[in-house]
Amino acid sequence: MQVTQQILAADIGSLVGGINPDWGVFGALGTKAKLIIGAIMAGAILFLLGSAIVGAVHIRVGNQQHNSMETKKGQTMVASSLLGLFTVASMATLFTIVYGFGI
C-alpha cells in the first residue's frame, strides 16, 4: 500500500510539474509571485475550457433546432476559447521570447 501511494504521489508530482512553465530568465521571481501567476493561469484555463464547453452546447442545440446562427455562435466560441487556451498555456514562453528580443 505504501509503495502504491509513493508511485501515485510521484505520478501526480510529474503531472503537476509538467503543467508548470519553464520560467527561463524569469526564474529569479519569488515563490509567491510564481504561485500567484500559476493560479491566475489555471483560473484562465478553467474559464476558457468552460467557455469551449458552452460553445459545444450551442453547436449541439443549433444543430438540433436547425438554427444556423446558434451553430455559428458555438463554432466561434469554441474556436476563440481554444485559441485563448493555447495563448495562456504558452504565456511563459512568449514572455521569454519577447524578453530575449529586448536584450
Side-chain angles (χ1 to χ4, degrees):
M1 184 70 174
Q2 185 70 17
V3 174
T4 306
Q5 289 176 343
Q6 289 175 348
I7 292 173
L8 183 61
D11 288 342
I12 291 173
S14 66
L15 176 66
V16 173
I19 294 172
N20 288 336
D22 178 20
W23 292 96
V25 295
F26 300 107
L29 284 174
T31 307
K32 288 183 182 179
K34 289 180 183 178
L35 184 66
I36 291 171
I37 291 170
I40 291 171
M41 288 174 67
I45 287 172
L46 288 176
F47 173 77
L48 290 169
L49 284 175
S51 179
I53 291 171
V54 169
V57 169
H58 280 285
I59 292 171
R60 177 89 174 172
V61 168
N63 284 336
Q64 286 178 351
Q65 296 177 352
H66 303 292
N67 185 350
S68 62
M69 293 294 289
E70 191 76 18
T71 303
K72 189 66 174 171
K73 179 180 176 183
Q75 289 173 348
T76 304
M77 284 181 71
V78 169
S80 62
S81 297
L82 294 178
L83 181 63
L85 185 66
F86 172 75
T87 304
V88 169
S90 61
M91 197 73 80
T93 304
L94 293 173
F95 285 153
T96 303
I97 290 170
V98 169
Y99 180 79
F101 284 148
I103 295 178

